[in-house]
């Protein structure tokens, strides 16, 4: 008699009760997932390297661009049309260390094309108008839509205004009139910003890239332990072991979180090293980033770096293939990266609930750390509560997905 053996179908371990949770099994799963991630050293290295190098590259790029603009301003050549009609102006500009390019040909089209940053046009009746006491006109031709021309045209404009004011005061004195009468109101400006606050305006990108590191550092790892395991068909044997879905969920999350925390830490270290190596004092940038600022950044970014892997794992498990999951994650990260724009473009004081908006709240608090401002208790509470809430919801969705047999069927 022939015995017919029914084919067995691997079943997923049911979702456990709280009493079934084992810390030992959870740690074993975490160790296994972390070891698997580190086996692909090349992918992990390049992912971490890209995150770590972004900070120094941005600081170096900012320093290079700023010094380039300063050098152009210091070695400025002023194109002047009809310079012979304003000799006093020419001498004033030369005393400022600038050179004169007299009567440049086709100056309007060259300014439009960007070959010239600006041009000064002196009216042919400039001398007669000046002698007769009439307004003498000088036209500054520039292209305001071109950012690189703005600081150069701005410096020339300030020199022209200073020269015009000086001539006005001298004329009043020659006529026996006090120059004070021409300025009945004296306006003074008192800047209450601290050196840290003035420096933080130019380095707000540091907050954005720190959050960017927390977003990008875990994408590759999250895809590998979810959609990647499905494509390699290594997820089914793992689900059929005595390990519960809760232990598996937390194990994957802790392993990816470890990679993400390494990415965030290395990114901040890259910023710190580059900010100390680059001579920011040459730029007149009063900025310090010491132990207190580093600790403040880590206090904000650590809960954020723990939340992001949970969200990425939930999205990764929802995709049928690694390519599908990667596309959805990249779109999600791109949309999330737009949230800090709320703080960048806001023209009013931030409302109280600003810190409770994910990503945008972290960006706002990181800027406060840079500005050495006091962070309120409710803002610190938001930095902990919002990532914890989102992370728990994402881990619950991941656990339910791992406990669904349809996941193995590619549905």
């Amino acid at each position: 008699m022939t015995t017919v053996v029914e084919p067995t179908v691997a079943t997923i371990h049911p979702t456990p009760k709280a009493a079934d949770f084992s810390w030992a099994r959870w740690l074993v799963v975490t160790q296994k997932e972390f070891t698997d991630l580190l086996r692909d050293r090349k992918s992990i290295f390049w992912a971490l390297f890209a995150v770590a190098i972004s900070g120094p590259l941005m600081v170096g790029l900012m320093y290079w661009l700023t010094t380039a603009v300063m050098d152009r301003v210091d070695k400025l050549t002023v194109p002047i049309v009809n310079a012979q009609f304003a000799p006093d102006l020419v001498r004033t500009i030369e005393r400022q260390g600038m050179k004169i390019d007299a009567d440049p040909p086709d100056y309007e089209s060259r300014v439009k094309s960007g070959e010239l940053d600006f041009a000064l046009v002196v009216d042919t009746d400039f001398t007669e108008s000046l002698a007769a006491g009439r307004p003498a006109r000088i036209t500054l031709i520039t292209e305001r839509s071109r950012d690189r021309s703005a600081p150069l045209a701005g410096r020339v404009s300030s020199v022209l205004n200073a020269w015009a004011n000086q001539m006005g005061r001298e004329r009043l004195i020659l006529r026996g009139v006090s120059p004070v009468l021409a300025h009945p109101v004296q306006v003074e400006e008192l800047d209450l910003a601290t050196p840290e606050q003035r420096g933080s305006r130019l380095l707000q990108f540091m907050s954005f890239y720190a959050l960017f590191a927390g977003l990008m550092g875990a994408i590759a790892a999250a895809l590998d332990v979810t959609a990647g395991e499905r494509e390699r068909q290594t997820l089914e044997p793992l689900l059929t072991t005595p390990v519960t879905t809760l232990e598996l969920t937390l194990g994957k999350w802790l392993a990816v979180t470890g990679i993400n925390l390494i990415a965030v830490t290395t990114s901040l270290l890259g910023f710190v090293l580059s900010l100390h190596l680059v001579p920011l004092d040459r730029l007149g940038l009063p900025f310090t980033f010491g132990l207190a600022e580093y600790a403040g950044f880590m206090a904000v970014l650590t809960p954020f770096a723990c939340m992001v892997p949970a969200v990425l794992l939930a999205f990764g498990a929802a995709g049928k293939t690694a390519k599908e999951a990667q596309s959805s994650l990249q779109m999600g990260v791109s949309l999330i990266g737009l949230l800090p724009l709320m703080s960048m473009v806001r023209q009013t004081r931030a409302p109280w609930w600003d810190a409770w908006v994910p990503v945008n709240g972290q960006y706002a608090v990181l800027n406060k750390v840079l500005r050495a401002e006091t962070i309120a208790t409710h803002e610190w509470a938001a930095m902990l509560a919002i990532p914890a809430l989102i992370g728990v919801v994402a881990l619950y969705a991941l656990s339910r997905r791992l406990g669904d047999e349809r996941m193995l069927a590619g549905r």
Side-chain angles (χ1 to χ4, degrees):
M1 181 177 181
T2 304
T3 303
V4 179
V5 180
E6 294 290 338
T8 59
V9 179
T11 59
I12 302 176
H13 199 281
T15 303
K17 299 178 180 178
D20 297 331
F21 184 82
S22 170
W23 291 90
R25 290 198 299 265
W26 174 36
L27 294 178
V28 169
V29 173
T30 302
Q31 182 182 6
K32 176 261 178 192
E33 296 291 349
F34 197 76
T35 303
D36 287 346
L37 288 174
L38 293 182
R39 282 199 183 103
D40 192 1
R41 294 184 181 90
K42 195 171 185 180
S43 298
I44 295 298
F45 169 79
W46 285 113
L48 295 179
F49 179 77
V51 171
I53 201 65
S54 61
L57 284 178
M58 284 303 302
V59 173
L61 181 61
M62 182 202 70
Y63 177 78
W64 178 76
L65 290 175
T66 306
T67 52
V69 172
M70 292 175 62
D71 290 340
R72 292 180 66 203
V73 171
D74 292 338
K75 303 174 182 178
L76 185 58
T77 298
V78 181
I80 302 182
V81 181
N82 300 327
Q84 68 274 16
F85 296 110
D88 290 342
L89 173 61
V90 171
R91 285 191 293 269
T92 300
I93 291 176
E94 289 177 337
R95 282 196 296 267
Q96 298 292 326
M98 308 179 197
K99 296 181 180 180
I100 301 297
D101 178 16
D103 297 322
D106 201 17
Y107 55 90
E108 286 193 8
S109 61
R110 292 172 66 188
V111 171
K112 186 68 177 177
S113 64
E115 185 179 348
L116 292 178
D117 294 301
F118 62 91
L120 292 180
V121 180
V122 180
D123 277 7
T124 55
D125 61 348
F126 182 87
T127 304
E128 291 78 5
S129 298
L130 205 61
R134 298 191 304 269
R137 188 173 61 178
I138 299 175
T139 305
L140 174 62
I141 300 177
T142 184
E143 174 62 85
R144 291 292 183 183
S145 63
R146 191 174 295 110
D147 292 336
R148 65 182 180 86
S149 302
L152 307 180
R155 187 190 175 192
V156 172
S157 179
S158 64
V159 170
L160 290 175
N161 290 328
W163 178 64
N165 290 333
Q166 180 181 352
M167 289 189 61
R169 289 192 299 268
E170 291 175 351
R171 285 189 169 189
L172 291 175
I173 293 173
L174 289 174
R175 288 166 174 76
V177 179
S178 173
V180 177
L181 295 177
H183 300 281
V185 178
Q186 183 176 358
V187 180
E188 295 183 357
E189 180 179 352
L190 176 61
D191 189 0
L192 299 178
T194 64
E196 291 81 3
Q197 291 170 342
R198 289 194 296 271
S200 67
R201 290 186 60 189
L202 296 178
L203 291 176
Q204 286 183 353
F205 70 88
M206 184 174 177
S207 302
F208 179 81
Y209 271 90
L211 289 172
F212 186 76
L215 287 171
M216 301 300 296
I219 287 183
L223 287 174
D224 186 72
V225 301
T226 51
E229 283 195 346
R230 290 179 62 182
E231 287 195 346
R232 294 192 300 269
Q233 298 183 351
T234 58
L235 184 60
E236 182 176 0
L238 190 60
L239 290 172
T240 56
T241 62
V243 176
T244 64
T245 52
L246 178 60
E247 294 161 356
L248 184 59
T249 297
L250 294 180
K252 289 178 177 293
W253 166 75
L254 188 57
V256 179
T257 298
I259 297 294
N260 204 31
L261 287 174
I262 293 174
V264 171
T265 304
T266 53
S267 176
L268 281 184
L269 287 176
F271 268 115
V272 172
L273 291 176
S274 58
L275 287 173
H276 282 81
L277 292 176
V278 172
L280 297 178
D281 293 339
R282 182 186 171 190
L283 307 181
L285 186 62
F287 183 81
T288 57
F289 193 87
L291 183 60
E293 289 79 11
Y294 186 88
F297 263 60
M298 288 305 299
V300 175
L301 293 174
T302 298
F304 180 77
C306 294
M307 174 200 74
V308 170
V311 177
L312 295 179
L313 287 170
F315 274 95
K320 296 180 181 179
T321 63
K323 183 177 291 187
E324 178 183 336
Q326 184 177 7
S327 300
S328 61
L329 284 181
Q330 288 178 343
M331 182 181 67
V333 169
S334 300
L335 293 176
I336 291 173
L338 296 176
L339 290 176
L341 291 177
M342 295 174 60
S343 295
M344 294 180 183
V345 302
R346 182 187 290 119
Q347 299 297 320
T348 58
R349 184 177 179 179
W352 67 269
W353 46 262
D354 190 56
W356 297 85
V357 179
V359 184
N360 181 71
Q362 277 78 14
Y363 177 79
V365 174
L366 288 178
N367 280 333
K368 282 192 171 185
V369 174
L370 285 177
R371 294 165 58 88
E373 294 182 359
T374 301
I375 301 175
T377 303
H378 77 275
E379 292 175 324
W380 282 123
M383 296 302 98
L384 295 174
I386 295 301
L389 177 61
I390 296 177
V392 168
V393 172
L395 290 176
Y396 175 76
L398 175 62
S399 180
R400 292 292 300 269
R401 180 62 173 164
L402 291 177
D404 190 351
E405 294 186 4
R406 291 178 300 175
M407 180 179 180
L408 298 180
R411 298 193 298 269

